[in-house]
């Protein structure tokens, strides 16, 4: 158990809908990262938050957004969902130091029908 | 998005054999991490490497940070059934750019 929790475990929804994925980092970790894992693209970095502020952005679609709350949990919002958004979404957290090991949660499997 | 080149793509070995896999990049990384992922689970951190040339072990696992900083290697000795899974390398540029760039993965299967 990495100490990173994600909910829900599975999500099935229809095209055009909006969903919210939730992540709680390990105790003491200030930085949260979101990654998408699909069969054709592998594991891809989406976005990073540090202590409530956006720190880095990867290949995140404009339909996707995220935020980190004062209690350090984070939410990833996916809107106007398309079939191609079906994937595993992982959250990772780290303490943010010179030795910045990232620990991953169990993921949310999103299926868009 | 960018992915690091990882080889082999898959391995079929017998229990007790040693395993070697590697990861190469066109750009330099200051940190290399190796993860293992099992079906339906998130990646689990196995080994972290922070210095070029560094050799680090974690039980039967040994990983090396390539001297050029563009590659890394993972060895598993005396494989056991629970080693089955997909192994990913990941590179991280530096403090200030903490995102991980992942390899394409090596799927390890152990033949009974």
């Amino acid at each position: 158990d990495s100490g990173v929790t994600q909910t829900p475990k599975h999500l099935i929804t229809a095209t055009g809908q909006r969903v919210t994925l939730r992540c709680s980092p390990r105790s003491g970790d200030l930085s949260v990262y979101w990654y998408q894992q699909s069969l054709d693209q592998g594991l891809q970095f989406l976005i990073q938050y540090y202590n409530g502020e956006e720190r880095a952005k990867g290949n995140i679609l404009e339909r996707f957004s995220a935020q980190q709350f004062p209690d350090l949990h984070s939410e990833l919002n996916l809107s106007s969902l398309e079939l191609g958004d079906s994937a595993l979404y992982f959250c990772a957290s780290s303490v943010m130091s010179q030795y910045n090991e990232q620990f991953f949660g169990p993921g949310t499997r999103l299926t868009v029908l | 998005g960018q992915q690091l080149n990882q080889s082999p793509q898959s391995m079929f070995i017998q229990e007790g054999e040693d395993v070697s896999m590697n990861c190469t990049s066109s750009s330099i990384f200051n940190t290399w991490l190796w993860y293992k992922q099992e079906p339906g689970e998130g990646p689990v951190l196995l080994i972290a490497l922070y210095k070029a040339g560094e050799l680090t072990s974690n039980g039967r696992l040994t990983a090396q940070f390539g001297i050029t900083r563009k590659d890394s290697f993972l060895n598993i000795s005396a494989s056991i059934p629970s080693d089955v899974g997909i192994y990913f390398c990941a590179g991280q540029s530096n403090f200030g750019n903490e995102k991980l760039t992942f390899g394409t993965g090596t799927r390890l299967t152990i033949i009974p």
Side-chain angles (χ1 to χ4, degrees):
Chain A
D1 185 351
S2 67
V4 179
T5 61
Q6 289 187 248
T7 56
K9 180 81 172 165
H10 301 278
L11 203 45
I12 301 174
T13 188
T15 54
Q17 295 298 304
R18 173 191 169 94
V19 297
T20 298
L21 313 184
R22 184 188 166 104
C23 167
S24 292
R26 293 187 318 157
S27 177
D29 285 358
L30 296 179
S31 197
V32 168
Y33 311 78
W34 287 97
Y35 292 86
Q36 180 192 58
Q37 186 176 36
S38 62
L39 282 173
D40 56 344
Q41 292 289 316
L43 270 157
Q44 296 290 326
F45 168 72
L46 294 178
I47 196 165
Q48 176 194 3
Y49 276 80
Y50 173 67
N51 204 20
E53 301 287 326
E54 181 185 302
R55 183 168 171 90
K57 248 182 175 174
N59 298 324
I60 187 167
L61 300 172
E62 283 192 16
R63 300 183 286 109
F64 296 1
S65 65
Q67 53 185 328
Q68 186 179 27
F69 294 87
D71 67 352
L72 300 178
H73 90 270
S74 177
E75 292 181 357
L76 179 67
N77 300 297
L78 315 176
S79 62
S80 302
L81 285 167
E82 302 175 359
L83 296 177
D85 297 328
S86 296
L88 275 164
Y89 291 85
F90 290 105
C91 166
S93 74
S94 71
V95 291
M96 279 288 285
S97 69
Q98 182 183 1
Y99 304 105
N100 197 44
E101 299 167 4
Q102 293 182 26
F103 295 89
F104 281 74
T108 294
R109 180 176 291 279
L110 174 65
T111 303
V112 182
L113 301 175
Chain B
Q2 182 190 6
Q3 284 184 278
L4 306 178
N5 295 316
Q6 199 171 333
S7 65
Q9 191 173 8
S10 59
M11 303 184 76
F12 296 83
I13 62 164
Q14 292 197 314
E15 185 177 349
E17 287 185 7
D18 295 344
V19 170
S20 291
M21 61 190 78
N22 68 72
C23 194
T24 59
S25 168
S26 57
S27 46
I28 288 171
F29 289 110
N30 288 315
T31 299
W32 283 94
L33 305 170
W34 283 91
Y35 289 87
K36 178 188 175 188
Q37 187 177 24
E38 297 185 37
E41 304 292 329
V44 174
L45 182 62
L46 300 174
I47 290 180
L49 302 156
Y50 297 103
K51 260 190 191 175
E54 179 183 359
L55 191 70
T56 297
S57 292
N58 178 7
R60 294 178 296 105
L61 277 60
T62 302
Q64 184 160 25
F65 192 140
I67 201 75
T68 65
R69 292 196 283 157
K70 291 184 178 182
D71 55 9
S72 181
F73 308 86
L74 177 69
N75 295 313
I76 306 173
S77 63
S79 58
I80 59 177
S82 62
D83 291 334
V84 165
I86 303 176
Y87 291 80
F88 291 98
C89 61
Q92 188 175 76
S93 294
N94 49 39
F95 193 75
N97 185 7
E98 294 90 17
K99 71 168 189 180
L100 294 179
T101 300
F102 278 87
T104 47
T106 294
R107 182 182 294 273
L108 180 61
T109 302
I110 296 184
I111 305 165

